[in-house]
Amino acid sequence: MDLRQLTISGRITADAETRDAGSGRVSSFSVACGYKDKDGDQTDFWRVALWWRDGKEPGLLPYLVKGQGVIVTGDPRVRQYQRKTGGAGIELSINFPRIVLVGGRPSGDNASRGGSRDYANGGVSSGEEIPF
């Protein structure tokens, strides 16, 4: 089996939304990734799905707000769909992500400015001690 993994960096476009899915709860948000090509400035929008483990809210959920800088690594998916206007569209998404928060909170919380926090495995930071 081949390994598919993609890493993107950008800003969250709107606060994360949580909904019930058939097999559990999922929080999702979009990340805008800007780049330049021969046509000038371009932006791709990636949908990120963060599945809850054992019904527990991921620890980083309160930080997934509009404007927050993130680096997301996960399994890329491309889905075609029919737009309401009749044309074809493509949705870019990342499942089973590892998320790094960068640049502090956009809400102006000076205590958390700078640095980064790396979250995987349902919101447990790889730098945090686990009390056992």
Side-chain angles (χ1 to χ4, degrees), residues 35-55:
Y35 63 95
K36 292 184 181 194
D37 67 9
K38 62 182 172 95
D39 297 324
D41 291 339
Q42 305 292 327
T43 304
D44 286 338
F45 295 92
W46 290 86
R47 194 90 180 131
V48 180
L50 180 62
W51 290 89
W52 293 31
R53 293 186 182 208
D54 301 321

Side-chain angles (χ1 to χ4, degrees), residues 85-105:
T85 59
I90 295 176
E91 177 185 67
L92 306 171
S93 65
I94 298 178
N95 291 320
F96 312 111
R98 176 183 189 107
I99 300 169
V100 177
L101 304 175
V102 293
R105 293 183 73 174

Side-chain angles (χ1 to χ4, degrees), residues 22-42:
S23 59
R25 298 195 80 181
V26 63
S27 296
S28 59
F29 57 96
S30 291
V31 176
C33 301
Y35 63 95
K36 292 184 181 194
D37 67 9
K38 62 182 172 95
D39 297 324
D41 291 339
Q42 305 292 327

Side-chain angles (χ1 to χ4, degrees), residues 92 106 119 123 128:
L92 306 171
Y119 290 91
E128 293 177 352

Side-chain angles (χ1 to χ4, degrees), residues 101-125:
L101 304 175
V102 293
R105 293 183 73 174
S107 64
D109 179 3
N110 291 329
S112 64
R113 286 276 173 217
S116 66
R117 292 196 76 175
D118 184 353
Y119 290 91
N121 303 321
V124 176
S125 171

